[in-house]
Amino acid sequence: MTTPLARPKAEWTQSASEFWAPNRKPVEAAFAMQPAVYADEEFFAAEQERLFGRAWVGVALACEVARPGRLLVRSVGGRSVLLTRTETGLHGFLNSCRHRGTELAEADCDIANTIRCPYHRWHYSADGHLVSAPMFDTVPRDGFDLADYGLIRVRVDTWGPLVFACLDNDSPPLSAWLGDLGDRMAAYDFEKWRPAQLDGATCTFDVATNWKLIVENFAEYYHLPWVHPELAKVSRVADHYRYQGPGMYCGQTTTPVSGDERDDWLKLPAATGLHNSDAASGRFVALFPNVLLAVLPSHMFLMTLQPLGAGRTLEHCTFLFPPGPMTGPEPPAALRESFEITRRFWIEVNDEDIDICERAQRGISLGGAPPGPLAPRFEEPLNRFHKMTADLMTLPCVADLTVPAGDRPGNADHYGSEPNPLPPATELDATASSVQTSSS
Ligand code: FES
Ligand SMILES: [Fe+2]
């Protein structure tokens, strides 16, 4: 028997290959991705290079590197990357000395605005210039100029509460990558949201599954009634719609979030300045490839995925809050109590998701059934995600990337009729975007 895992590996990077053909179709005819995409370590290595090596990858909270003197160490596409801030802005560099390549920093630290290599003590300014190379000129070397040996720069940018890094200079800028998302979510004013200084406001889960299964699970609500019976009381299946404009993201919204049977999500004070739809909704947005935003009017549950192997992912979770008492040094006791209820609810839901994603990984890697059909009613965001994955894996040059278009009123038939009514008009009024778009 030929298993799907045994398909020729050369097809992974060929745009017109049979490997991706079932994912390139419209959702009504599309299938899940091949098992190798989730379970094969060679695919994982290729994906690190072609997908994570060319995408805008979420790597940190902006507030973690908000002040000069702080240095963060992060992983992007298998490379170690340094993040710093100076008076001139945010900087990213490869974590490798320009002398003989030594790792400059092992972990986040304070640097007094100087990055020193521990090996022969070359030292760099926080904006990446080589400042000195000790004793190098005791025997002069023709043409040696410190200015030629600054740290290798990595593109970095911010959106909302996050820092993103991109290893490929040909990738579109972050603003084009995210498309209309900034305008769509502008009223939240995410730049001002911060983590609370409370126990449990950040946590990391080591999950035995491929990162893409976590994204896919986040992007569909088909599983809601069976995997999350309690969540389905506040985020009812009937109140879900897609939330997708042009941009490298897949989104859905619960409008309105219900407080009828449980109100775990509605206990904390809402952000000010939200329009009616934002003030009533839960927004669930998967930024391609590795950032998952679950936004309620009063808080955000943010997940950043760090793939460690085909079947292993670190899930870094942070609760963020709009400016107000939750972001102060000492939130009042009543709010701390409300946060604990909210936090427990999220962790229970997340545990349910982790269990089912690990089970999906086991079935795919140990069983390896061929990919099945997607449910057109619920799984269009997965089809969109699969197309983005196929594009990044196969494009010879990422400058040719086509940022996907969003949902339009004209494809309302994709939403089905019952139990999900058509989305509110405000959600379909997609903001015009200047990015290149397709009709996929
Ligand atoms: S390797 Fe960094 S100073 Fe020599
Ligand atoms: Fe879920």
Side-chain angles (χ1 to χ4, degrees):
M1 182 176 85
T2 305
T3 69
L5 280 169
R7 290 193 71 87
K9 292 175 176 154
E11 292 189 21
W12 295 345
T13 57
Q14 291 168 6
S15 184
S17 72
E18 271 184 46
F19 187 81
W20 296 109
N23 312 120
R24 299 275 194 201
K25 296 179 176 170
V27 66
E28 296 85 350
F31 285 77
M33 293 196 286
Q34 297 280 354
V37 164
Y38 307 95
D40 190 302
E41 292 296 348
E42 284 185 48
F43 183 94
F44 178 81
E47 179 184 73
Q48 284 288 292
E49 190 181 322
R50 299 183 73 88
L51 193 157
F52 279 87
R54 305 198 289 180
W56 281 97
V57 179
V59 288
L61 291 176
C63 62
E64 292 180 275
V65 63
R67 60 178 169 83
R70 191 67 184 154
L71 178 141
L72 307 184
V73 182
R74 294 292 183 270
S75 175
V76 182
R79 300 295 190 94
S80 181
V81 169
L82 303 177
L83 302 173
T84 64
R85 187 178 290 280
T86 65
E87 302 305 335
T88 60
L90 188 65
H91 309 278
F93 314 108
L94 293 181
N95 186 5
S96 184
C97 178
R98 291 300 308 276
H99 176 217
R100 280 169 42 212
T102 299
E103 176 188 75
L104 294 163
E106 291 178 312
D108 298 357
C109 57
D110 290 324
I111 54 168
N113 288 324
T114 298
I115 303 169
R116 289 182 195 277
C117 179
Y119 206 165
H120 313 98
R121 226 48 175 186
W122 282 27
H123 85 252
Y124 304 86
S125 59
D127 61 359
H129 295 102
L130 179 60
V131 176
S132 76
M135 299 183 282
F136 204 79
D137 56 1
T138 51
V139 174
R141 182 185 162 100
D142 276 354
F144 177 74
D145 186 346
L146 296 178
D148 293 337
Y149 295 96
L151 297 177
I152 305 293
R153 291 186 183 277
V154 172
R155 296 167 78 194
V156 287
D157 204 347
T158 61
W159 176 78
L162 288 154
V163 176
F164 294 81
C166 179
L167 296 174
D168 196 316
N169 290 332
D170 288 331
S171 297
L174 180 64
S175 57
W177 187 267
L178 296 177
D180 77 333
L181 198 64
D183 290 337
R184 181 176 283 263
M185 306 195 90
Y188 290 99
D189 209 4
F190 284 140
E191 285 80 4
K192 297 185 178 139
W193 290 40
R194 297 283 181 275
Q197 306 301 313
L198 292 171
D199 288 347
T202 61
C203 49
T204 294
F205 298 94
D206 193 338
V207 188
T209 195
N210 186 272
W211 68 275
K212 295 186 293 299
L213 290 178
I214 300 175
V215 175
E216 292 180 7
N217 179 68
F218 182 86
E220 57 94 346
Y221 56 96
Y222 190 16
H223 68 280
L224 205 61
W226 303 288
V227 175
H228 308 298
E230 290 304 307
L231 173 60
K233 293 176 182 170
V234 288
S235 183
R236 295 179 298 211
V237 170
D239 296 328
H240 277 73
Y241 318 100
R242 294 216 300 268
Y243 184 74
Q244 295 177 153
M248 295 290 281
Y249 69 93
C250 305
Q252 51 176 309
T253 172
T254 304
T255 308
V257 173
S258 168
D260 295 350
E261 290 185 68
R262 292 192 66 147
D263 63 353
D264 307 62
W265 277 357
L266 302 172
K267 290 189 166 303
L268 291 160
T272 54
L274 299 182
H275 60 64
N276 288 346
S277 183
D278 287 345
S281 299
R283 315 297 199 188
F284 306 94
V285 184
L287 308 185
F288 188 89
N290 75 322
V291 174
L292 309 176
L293 309 175
V295 180
L296 279 297
S298 60
H299 67 279
M300 178 195 301
F301 183 63
L302 167 72
M303 286 182 280
T304 307
L305 306 179
Q306 182 184 347
L308 296 183
R312 189 175 168 208
T313 304
L314 292 183
E315 191 181 279
H316 303 290
C317 303
T318 309
F319 289 91
L320 293 161
F321 299 91
M326 285 302 291
T327 53
E330 193 78 28
L335 287 184
R336 291 206 300 271
E337 227 168 84
S338 297
F339 168 63
E340 188 50 26
I341 293 167
T342 303
R343 189 192 71 81
R344 267 205 306 266
F345 187 63
W346 270 115
I347 298 303
E348 276 168 28
V349 170
N350 200 45
D351 283 348
E352 292 164 352
D353 281 326
I354 287 173
D355 282 349
I356 203 67
C357 287
E358 291 187 333
R359 192 163 176 156
Q361 180 73 20
R362 291 197 298 275
I364 288 166
S365 56
L366 302 176
L374 298 183
R377 162 76 166 70
F378 299 101
E379 294 183 313
E380 187 277 345
L382 273 60
N383 181 233
R384 181 173 164 95
F385 173 68
H386 296 167
K387 286 171 176 161
M388 293 179 201
T389 302
D391 284 350
L392 266 291
M393 290 300 295
T394 58
L395 275 174
C397 176
V398 72
D400 298 327
L401 179 73
T402 299
V403 174
D407 295 329
R408 299 278 183 243
N411 67 5
D413 54 316
H414 284 195
Y415 297 98
S417 52
E418 294 295 335
N420 189 8
L422 289 177
T426 49
E427 307 306 352
L428 286 172
D429 185 18
T431 310
S433 167
S434 58
V435 300
Q436 184 189 7
T437 60
S438 76
S439 57
S440 62

